[in-house]
Amino acid sequence: MLETEGAVRVSLTTSRLSELDNALDYLLQYPYGCGEQTTSSTMPWLALGGYHSLFHGRLDPEKARSAIQHGASRLLQMVVEGEGGLAYWPGGSEPNRWGSAYGGLLLLRARDAGAQVPASVIDALCEYLSKNLRGLDAETDPYVICDAALSLYTLAKAKRAEPAYHTLLF
C-alpha cells in the first residue's frame, strides 16, 4: 500500500439547489462553438438571470450580461450575408434552418435582456425564417416540420407571427 493524503468535503444544506452546483458550472463554463452549442450555453444565463442570489455569486449580474453579449456576438458572426439566416459555424456560407430558428430565439431574448443585436439582423433573420415556411403544406419530413414549428415560435416572439402556418401545423 502507498501512503497518501486525501481530503473529504462535506456540505450541509437545507436546499436541493446545492445539487445544481456542478451541473451549473458545466453548463455555464463549457467551451461551446457551433450555433446550437452557443445558443444552448447562453440560454441558461437568460433563464436564470433573476436567481443570482440563489447560486452563491455564480450568476453575478455583470457576468451574466457579459456572457449573454458574448453568446449574441458569436451568433452574429454566423449571419450569412444576403440570406439572413445563421450558418452552423462562424463564417459559414449556407444558413441552417433549425439553427436560424433556435439562434434567432436567443438573439431576440438577448436583445430584450439588453444585449446589442442590430435590428437589421433581426429583420433579415425573420425574413429568412418566413421565406422558409413556403411549401410547408406539402411537407412530410418530420425534421422539416419541427424546424418550421420552431421558426413559427421564433417569428411569434419577434411579433411577426404567421397565423396561417400555425393553423396548418395544428
Side-chain angles (χ1 to χ4, degrees):
M1 305 271 306
L2 297 174
E3 279 191 42
T4 187
E5 292 184 21
V8 174
R9 181 174 167 238
V10 178
S11 296
L12 300 173
T13 181
T14 58
S15 171
R16 294 195 66 152
L17 288 176
S18 67
E19 296 176 23
L20 293 175
D21 279 352
N22 290 335
L24 187 63
D25 280 343
Y26 180 80
L27 186 62
L28 299 177
Q29 304 302 328
Y30 189 81
Y32 296 94
C34 70
E36 182 274 327
Q37 293 168 335
T38 299
T39 301
S40 293
S41 69
T42 307
M43 281 290 192
W45 289 101
L46 291 160
L48 297 172
Y51 301 100
H52 60 273
S53 63
L54 297 176
F55 293 99
H56 315 291
R58 286 199 179 120
L59 295 175
D60 171 62
E62 186 53 42
K63 186 175 180 182
R65 274 190 291 280
S66 176
I68 292 165
Q69 184 61 61
H70 177 75
S73 295
R74 182 150 177 89
L75 284 178
L76 292 172
Q77 295 173 9
M78 298 177 198
V79 174
V80 177
E81 291 299 321
E83 296 284 335
L86 302 176
Y88 210 71
W89 292 95
S93 60
E94 187 174 325
N96 176 277
R97 185 181 309 184
W98 181 84
S100 295
Y102 189 42
L105 182 60
L106 175 88
L107 288 174
L108 291 167
R109 293 193 63 200
R111 178 198 63 189
D112 293 346
Q116 299 298 310
V117 178
S120 60
V121 169
I122 298 295
D123 291 341
L125 183 60
C126 288
E127 287 179 31
Y128 169 82
L129 294 175
S130 179
K131 181 178 75 174
N132 277 281
L133 294 171
R134 306 307 175 250
L136 189 59
D137 56 330
E139 188 58 62
T140 59
D141 184 333
Y143 291 105
V144 173
I145 293 169
C146 285
D147 293 352
L150 183 55
S151 293
L152 286 168
Y153 182 71
T154 300
L155 286 166
K157 289 301 233 179
K159 302 198 181 337
R160 298 194 186 173
E162 301 227 5
Y165 287 107
H166 288 246
T167 301
L168 176 67
L169 287 187
F170 179 74

